[in-house]
Amino acid sequence: MTRTDTRSPAARDTTTREICAQIDRLVDARSARVAAHGPHFAELWELAVRRLQGGKLLRPRLVMGAFDTLASGTTAAPRAAALEIAAALEILHFSFLLHDDVIDEDLVRRGEPNLVGCLVAGKMPGNTIAAPPADGSGDTTNRTLHWARSSGLLVGDLMLTIAHQIIARLHLPEHARTRVLDLLEAAVTETVAGEYCDVGLADGAFVPDLSLVLDMTRMKTASYTFELPLRIAAVISEAPPAAEIQLGEVGRHLGLAFQLQDDLLSAFSPSDSHGKDQFSDFREGKETALIAYARMTNAWPSVEQLLGAEGFSDDSGRRIQRLLTECGAREFIETLVQDQIRTALQVLTRDDCAVPQATSRFILGLVDSLDGRRA
Amino acid sequence: MTRTDTRSPAARDTTTREICAQIDRLVDARSARVAAHGPHFAELWELAVRRLQGGKLLRPRLVMGAFDTLASGTTAAPRAAALEIAAALEILHFSFLLHDDVIDEDLVRRGEPNLVGCLVAGKMPGNTIAAPPADGSGDTTNRTLHWARSSGLLVGDLMLTIAHQIIARLHLPEHARTRVLDLLEAAVTETVAGEYCDVGLADGAFVPDLSLVLDMTRMKTASYTFELPLRIAAVISEAPPAAEIQLGEVGRHLGLAFQLQDDLLSAFSPSDSHGKDQFSDFREGKETALIAYARMTNAWPSVEQLLGAEGFSDDSGRRIQRLLTECGAREFIETLVQDQIRTALQVLTRDDCAVPQATSRFILGLVDSLDGRRA
């Protein structure tokens, strides 16, 4: 099946095209089975698949870039398996995004309606879903929202299942397949723990402090976004164990830097640059590291009054921006981002570094190209 | 780790004890990794694991009963793998229940608070979670509910992951492992499709009719509850292909009968016999086959007024019960249940039946012992 490619032309290098083709193959192999469960479900699937294909492919590109540089020169390296893993990690990421949007009650992602938003707006192909009434009247709108969010949850379950199914079927030697499964399970467990901490902080179930918030930030993103792709690439390219461990370290530091940078962008950039509602983190009262730092300063009483408050306005958002800048939270987090990147570089330039220079160069190039936007 | 066993003594035969021990082993193997993500997450895990162990183990007992009778006499049958699959299907079932409770906004399951209900009631061991205020005042209660539901979603993701991880690591010949993965993916896809249809009907997104409602009923339960365990048992015991196909047929009929019987119990039995809020299906406006039948009768205008209405009371519930009985819906569904069971028996007694008599006897015994209560 040919689909409109919504990615920017610049990003479509050879590897990216291979990743996209692999995702398409894995999705298409499942479309007939999905369609067998009736037209409603087939439409939901098509809508979801279009959203799956809108990402920047950060995790798959990390897998392939690391794999190609690590396996360079070896003959029997299982590149087909690497591509399948790369696709599986994008599908895993998509399932996390879907559940994240359900939890956050978001209707927008990457600057356009997310799956829930599309369903609510009645944008289903074939137009079989009744749109909520234009006057936004209560009960029907609530039921439509409930149905759309439940659908997001269910599609997320299906995508999580497919990601695992792909990994479970890899044609790899038994020891490598088991190691990949270990890494996948550890990463999902850590991500779930981080999300649980995130929602507990946002809803006031846990007492916030900077150390807990930084742990949460690391857990919910760093592990599956950077550490998992880099370590899997090391395992299947049969890199030395030291290289896998060092790539894991690098991944954790870069992953934390990436998520903190994302928090900075959410807080300080206009909406169209990071693809979410402007001020959505402030509106939802998200406990980011910026906020956790501000708690320890004199600015806190003023921030607290505005954050997640009833009647939150763009003006509230701009006032929080000013307060976070004046109290030093912004600078503190910016410095932390730089520290994490520097530490990652130190690992890659140590005397005992087992990571090949080509792999280090690839990682550094990718870091330079990342602007921390939600990918 | 030893845990209090909440199952009735009568149910604890040797196979059931083996299944429980296998679930414990698989859970315990993961507890240390979970605990590494901090005390909050470790408490959530312990709470979830206690709930996982409260079920009637219908699906695992189907796997083991079918496997033991199919493999009887063969020497190298992989009974250890069968036990792992049995445990994985209970964990898969638990993940579906968790997400089902999130979607249905239920706080009770099996007659006691479910995971969400426990979290809301502040029953976390160690008591680190603030309970909602006794006066039930708005915002705090809403945030606690949101946090508890999000936690149910996240634990469901983890359990879904663990179920797949167990299946992916089975020590089975490649062809058998792949077939088990195929069956698992098909069952999850069908269950998700059924749930999607269920919530779409309940929220008014899809036009209800009896045929769609029966399809939904079959998809959301029959496949993973009966067909999946029986077919997996056939695959790993290396039963002839005809036996697997016939067991699949039997499973689909029994599964539909089981779910319809469950709908009847929800509608007509007192709360303590089926473990949910009495009248919860009526209160939520669930589109069961009973309701879909009633739509086609003169009773519909009266049922429609009461079903899922604001101010729903026990009296509304009793009136719906009377209406469903008088309009013939109850009798129609009771007859359908008997038809499905009869068709299943016909498959097992046909001349070309490839299912061993011992397996047929096991299935019939289990059907007799089932009262259709949510297991």
Side-chain angles (χ1 to χ4, degrees):
Chain A
M1 191 189 304
T2 311
R3 296 192 186 84
T4 313
D5 195 326
T6 55
R7 290 167 288 255
S8 73
R12 273 191 262 118
D13 56 54
T14 310
T15 304
T16 305
R17 276 199 302 273
E18 287 178 300
I19 294 166
C20 293
Q22 182 65 61
I23 293 174
D24 285 350
R25 268 195 302 278
L26 289 163
V27 162
D28 289 349
R30 286 159 169 92
S31 294
R33 173 180 301 150
V34 164
H37 298 305
H40 291 311
F41 194 53
E43 285 173 2
L44 178 69
W45 172 256
E46 279 303 311
L47 196 65
V49 164
R50 277 203 296 281
R51 246 123 219 94
L52 162 65
Q53 289 161 326
K56 292 184 182 173
L57 304 171
L58 169 59
R59 295 149 196 86
R61 281 157 58 210
L62 272 168
V63 171
M64 295 314 296
F67 175 84
D68 283 337
T69 51
L70 287 163
S72 156
T74 64
T75 48
R79 194 162 193 278
L83 267 173
E84 289 194 74
I85 292 169
L89 293 197
E90 186 66 12
I91 294 170
L92 176 72
H93 172 56
F94 184 52
S95 89
F96 287 152
L97 293 186
L98 286 165
H99 285 184
D100 211 30
D101 283 346
V102 170
I103 290 173
D104 291 348
E105 303 181 350
D106 278 334
L107 300 174
V108 173
R109 164 79 62 181
R110 295 165 180 162
E112 47 183 290
N114 61 14
L115 182 67
V116 177
C118 282
L119 289 171
V120 167
K123 284 188 181 157
M124 293 284 287
N127 203 24
T128 54
I129 308 298
D135 64 359
S137 59
D139 188 50
T140 306
T141 305
N142 284 339
R143 289 173 79 194
T144 303
L145 262 176
H146 176 265
W147 165 74
R149 293 217 167 97
S150 304
S151 306
L153 193 166
L154 291 166
V155 176
D157 286 352
L158 186 54
M159 293 296 168
L160 183 57
T161 294
I162 292 172
H164 277 96
Q165 284 274 339
I166 296 165
I167 304 279
R169 293 162 189 268
L170 290 174
H171 291 289
L172 283 177
E174 177 76 12
H175 71 276
R177 212 172 49 85
T178 303
R179 286 285 297 130
V180 173
L181 283 169
D182 289 343
L183 291 170
L184 177 66
E185 183 169 347
V188 172
T189 305
E190 185 162 336
T191 307
V192 165
E195 283 281 335
Y196 175 64
C197 196
D198 193 13
V199 73
L201 286 164
D203 286 331
F206 305 142
V207 179
D209 73 65
L210 185 57
S211 143
L212 182 64
V213 172
L214 286 174
D215 279 350
M216 174 275 284
T217 307
R218 199 185 322 260
M219 287 193 287
K220 80 169 185 175
T221 306
S223 174
Y224 91 93
T225 301
F226 282 84
E227 186 184 357
L228 179 66
L230 292 176
R231 289 185 70 164
I232 287 185
V235 166
I236 61 170
S237 64
E238 313 235 8
E244 187 201 323
I245 291 166
Q246 288 160 357
L247 283 169
E249 260 186 87
V250 168
R252 291 182 87 72
H253 291 298
L254 292 182
L256 181 56
F258 174 77
Q259 180 61 45
L260 291 173
Q261 182 64 33
D262 195 60
D263 290 343
L264 284 166
L265 276 171
S266 280
F268 295 106
S269 293
S271 170
D272 61 342
S273 77
H274 58 87
K276 294 197 72 167
D277 299 327
Q278 193 175 15
F279 304 132
S280 70
D281 283 5
F282 296 158
R283 188 178 294 110
E284 292 160 16
K286 276 232 173 234
E287 187 70 33
T288 64
L290 281 163
I291 300 301
Y293 182 94
R295 277 182 191 278
M296 305 183 299
T297 70
N298 292 335
W300 181 243
S302 312
V303 174
E304 189 176 24
Q305 275 198 324
L306 298 163
L307 197 71
E310 201 117 350
F312 183 95
S313 67
D314 282 3
D315 192 50
S316 321
R318 283 185 290 270
R319 283 174 61 201
I320 296 179
Q321 285 182 332
R322 267 200 307 281
L323 287 160
L324 292 179
T325 305
E326 286 162 14
C327 78
R330 182 177 186 168
E331 191 186 346
F332 176 82
I333 300 302
E334 284 170 349
T335 307
L336 202 49
V337 169
Q338 294 313 315
D339 286 349
Q340 293 295 317
I341 292 176
R342 194 175 320 110
T343 310
L345 298 190
Q346 279 165 358
V347 174
L348 291 174
T349 51
R350 273 191 331 226
D351 285 348
D352 68 345
C353 181
V355 179
Q357 290 215 347
T359 309
S360 299
R361 274 197 304 275
F362 158 72
I363 293 171
L364 300 185
L366 193 76
V367 170
D368 280 345
S369 77
L370 283 180
D371 49 12
R373 290 173 195 174
R374 288 170 202 256
Chain B
M1 190 190 306
T2 313
R3 296 193 186 84
T4 313
D5 194 327
T6 55
R7 290 167 286 256
S8 74
R12 273 192 261 118
D13 57 52
T14 310
T15 304
T16 306
R17 276 199 302 272
E18 288 178 298
I19 294 166
C20 293
Q22 181 65 60
I23 293 175
D24 284 351
R25 268 195 302 278
L26 290 162
V27 163
D28 289 350
R30 287 160 168 90
S31 294
R33 172 181 300 151
V34 164
H37 297 306
H40 291 311
F41 194 54
E43 285 172 0
L44 178 69
W45 172 255
E46 279 303 311
L47 196 66
V49 164
R50 277 202 296 281
R51 246 126 218 93
L52 163 64
Q53 288 161 327
K56 292 184 181 173
L57 304 171
L58 168 58
R59 294 149 197 85
R61 282 156 60 209
L62 271 168
V63 172
M64 295 313 297
F67 175 84
D68 283 337
T69 50
L70 287 163
S72 156
T74 63
T75 48
R79 194 162 192 277
L83 267 173
E84 289 194 75
I85 292 169
L89 293 197
E90 186 66 12
I91 294 170
L92 176 73
H93 173 55
F94 184 53
S95 89
F96 287 152
L97 293 187
L98 286 165
H99 284 185
D100 211 30
D101 284 346
V102 170
I103 290 173
D104 291 349
E105 302 180 351
D106 278 335
L107 299 174
V108 173
R109 165 78 62 179
R110 295 164 179 164
E112 47 183 291
N114 61 14
L115 182 67
V116 177
C118 283
L119 290 170
V120 167
K123 283 187 182 159
M124 292 283 287
N127 203 25
T128 52
I129 308 298
D135 65 358
S137 60
D139 188 49
T140 307
T141 305
N142 284 340
R143 289 173 80 195
T144 304
L145 262 176
H146 177 265
W147 165 75
R149 293 217 168 97
S150 304
S151 306
L153 193 165
L154 291 166
V155 176
D157 286 351
L158 187 53
M159 294 294 168
L160 184 57
T161 293
I162 292 172
H164 277 96
Q165 284 275 338
I166 295 165
I167 304 278
R169 292 162 189 268
L170 290 174
H171 291 289
L172 284 176
E174 177 75 13
H175 71 275
R177 212 173 49 84
T178 303
R179 285 286 296 131
V180 172
L181 284 168
D182 290 343
L183 291 170
L184 177 67
E185 183 168 347
V188 173
T189 304
E190 184 162 336
T191 307
V192 165
E195 284 281 334
Y196 175 65
C197 195
D198 193 14
V199 74
L201 286 164
D203 287 330
F206 305 141
V207 179
D209 75 65
L210 185 58
S211 143
L212 182 63
V213 172
L214 286 174
D215 279 349
M216 175 274 285
T217 307
R218 199 186 321 261
M219 286 193 286
K220 81 169 183 173
T221 306
S223 174
Y224 91 94
T225 300
F226 282 84
E227 186 183 359
L228 179 66
L230 293 176
R231 289 186 71 164
I232 286 185
V235 166
I236 61 171
S237 63
E238 313 235 8
E244 186 201 323
I245 290 166
Q246 288 161 357
L247 283 169
E249 258 187 88
V250 168
R252 290 182 88 73
H253 291 299
L254 292 182
L256 181 56
F258 174 77
Q259 180 61 45
L260 291 174
Q261 182 64 32
D262 195 59
D263 290 343
L264 284 167
L265 277 171
S266 280
F268 294 106
S269 295
S271 170
D272 62 343
S273 77
H274 57 86
K276 295 198 69 168
D277 300 328
Q278 193 176 14
F279 303 132
S280 70
D281 283 4
F282 296 159
R283 187 177 295 111
E284 293 160 16
K286 277 232 171 234
E287 187 71 33
T288 63
L290 280 163
I291 300 300
Y293 183 94
R295 279 182 191 277
M296 304 183 299
T297 70
N298 291 335
W300 182 241
S302 313
V303 174
E304 189 177 24
Q305 275 198 325
L306 298 163
L307 196 71
E310 200 118 349
F312 184 95
S313 66
D314 282 3
D315 191 51
S316 322
R318 282 185 289 269
R319 284 174 60 200
I320 296 179
Q321 286 181 330
R322 266 198 309 279
L323 287 161
L324 293 178
T325 306
E326 286 161 14
C327 78
R330 182 177 187 169
E331 193 185 344
F332 176 81
I333 301 300
E334 284 170 348
T335 306
L336 202 49
V337 169
Q338 293 314 314
D339 286 349
Q340 292 296 315
I341 292 176
R342 194 175 320 110
T343 310
L345 298 189
Q346 280 166 356
V347 175
L348 291 174
T349 50
R350 272 189 335 225
D351 285 349
D352 68 345
C353 181
V355 178
Q357 290 214 346
T359 308
S360 298
R361 274 196 305 275
F362 158 73
I363 293 171
L364 300 185
L366 193 76
V367 169
D368 280 345
S369 77
L370 283 180
D371 50 12
R373 292 174 194 173
R374 286 167 203 259

